Amino acid sequence: MGLVAAIVYVALAGGVAELLTEGISTEDDVAELSLGHFPVLIPLVAAGVWFVWRAGWTKHVWRTPAAFETQPRRWWMLAFPALLLIQSIVLLAGTPWGAWSAAVLVVIVLVNILVGVGEELYFRGVLRASLRAHHGETVTLLVTSLMFGAAHALGSVLAGTGAGFVAFQVVVTATSGAVFYGVFRATGRLWIAMGLHALNDFTLRVSSGDLTSRSADNLDPSPINVVVQALLWVLVLVLLTSCIRQDTAERREKRAASTEV
């Protein structure tokens, strides 16, 4: 069920948005950004929230025991939200605010809130809860992250981009998905992952000084952000190792319990 929900989200968020922006001519980038997000994401987010409530998945989707609430306490996971916050603050400090009007900033904020809420709700919410009900933490981490990466590479595939670049895009975006997975595991609250996701997307867009973010590829990252990004990649590997160890410990406990019975 979670897999179906995630696929439907990707198909509609990507496919319908593409049809709207291609089929309806717009005068500027603000109108195109709005057209490609608001008509699609608002009903998708509403449908996702309704589905979670109607299916009785509320406590499984929105909340999980935080890393510091379980045994052993994994305080190190709090580095995920802390580093993302530092990265956003550094980008905001270097943002060319004079390039943006207040009205455009409001549109960007609303768009990125919808993106953050929608993607976290469907990937780290519905899909994660569905997988975790049947599989261990390792499978759940890998599948949700790879699905997240594949979803963001769909546009490149449809555009006929080379397989090498698509594979690279999947790996990079899947790692970002694993980072947000770490945020949710660390805090135990999906809304925090949603907020940091929205903030991260917002800062990446406005720091480029270009609404389309095409010029973001030419940005020179600050040394602080280079270090932060490297630390996040290392933390993802540590998270994967932690999930493997957790699953191994749970299997041992189950075998021990069955032997005693």
Side-chain angles (χ1 to χ4, degrees):
M1 185 67 73
L3 188 61
V4 170
I7 291 174
V8 169
Y9 175 83
V10 172
L12 293 178
V16 175
E18 184 70 19
L19 289 175
L20 287 173
T21 54
E22 291 292 330
I24 302 176
S25 59
T26 53
E27 298 179 356
D28 55 34
D29 292 333
V30 178
E32 183 175 349
L33 182 69
S34 301
L35 184 63
H37 289 85
F38 292 130
V40 184
L41 293 183
I42 290 175
L44 277 175
V45 169
V49 172
W50 177 85
F51 169 79
V52 170
W53 170 77
R54 191 71 178 83
W57 288 14
T58 301
K59 65 179 182 179
H60 303 293
V61 168
W62 292 99
R63 189 76 164 83
T64 193
F68 52 85
E69 296 174 335
T70 58
Q71 293 295 336
R73 300 187 190 280
R74 299 175 175 87
W75 291 96
W76 61 268
M77 284 192 184
L78 291 174
F80 279 111
L83 288 171
L84 277 180
L85 191 57
I86 291 171
Q87 186 179 60
S88 293
I89 291 172
V90 171
L91 284 172
L92 289 174
T95 294
W97 295 107
W100 304 108
S101 67
V104 173
L105 283 175
V106 169
V107 172
I108 298 174
V109 168
L110 293 176
V111 163
N112 285 296
I113 287 175
L114 284 172
V115 172
V117 171
E119 292 186 353
E120 293 306 310
L121 176 61
Y122 280 87
F123 286 96
R124 257 69 61 184
V126 175
L127 179 58
R128 180 204 54 80
S130 179
L131 286 167
R132 193 64 181 93
H134 303 283
H135 303 282
E137 203 71 51
T138 307
V139 170
T140 306
L141 168 65
L142 291 174
V143 173
T144 55
S145 299
L146 289 172
M147 280 284 296
F148 185 72
H152 284 77
L154 181 61
S156 298
V157 173
L158 295 177
T161 308
F165 178 82
V166 171
F168 175 77
Q169 188 177 12
V170 169
V171 171
V172 171
T173 315
T175 304
S176 296
V179 169
F180 292 124
Y181 190 99
V183 171
F184 181 54
R185 283 287 311 279
T187 62
R189 293 157 179 82
L190 188 62
W191 68 267
I192 295 180
M194 289 175 170
L196 286 175
H197 189 149
L199 178 62
N200 184 67
D201 285 359
F202 172 77
T203 55
L204 287 173
R205 187 180 296 276
V206 297
S207 62
S208 69
D210 176 10
L211 190 61
T212 65
S213 294
R214 283 188 287 264
S215 63
D217 296 334
N218 300 321
L219 287 175
D220 292 326
S222 70
I224 295 177
N225 273 335
V226 170
V227 172
V228 167
Q229 197 59 47
L231 288 174
L232 285 172
W233 278 65
V234 171
L235 276 175
V236 166
L237 295 177
V238 176
L239 175 62
L240 177 59
T241 302
S242 176
C243 290
I244 294 172
R245 293 181 62 182
Q246 177 182 336
D247 290 341
T248 301
E250 289 179 358
R251 285 194 296 268
R252 286 175 180 169
E253 290 177 3
K254 288 181 181 179
R255 283 198 297 265
S258 61
T259 301
E260 291 176 2
V261 173

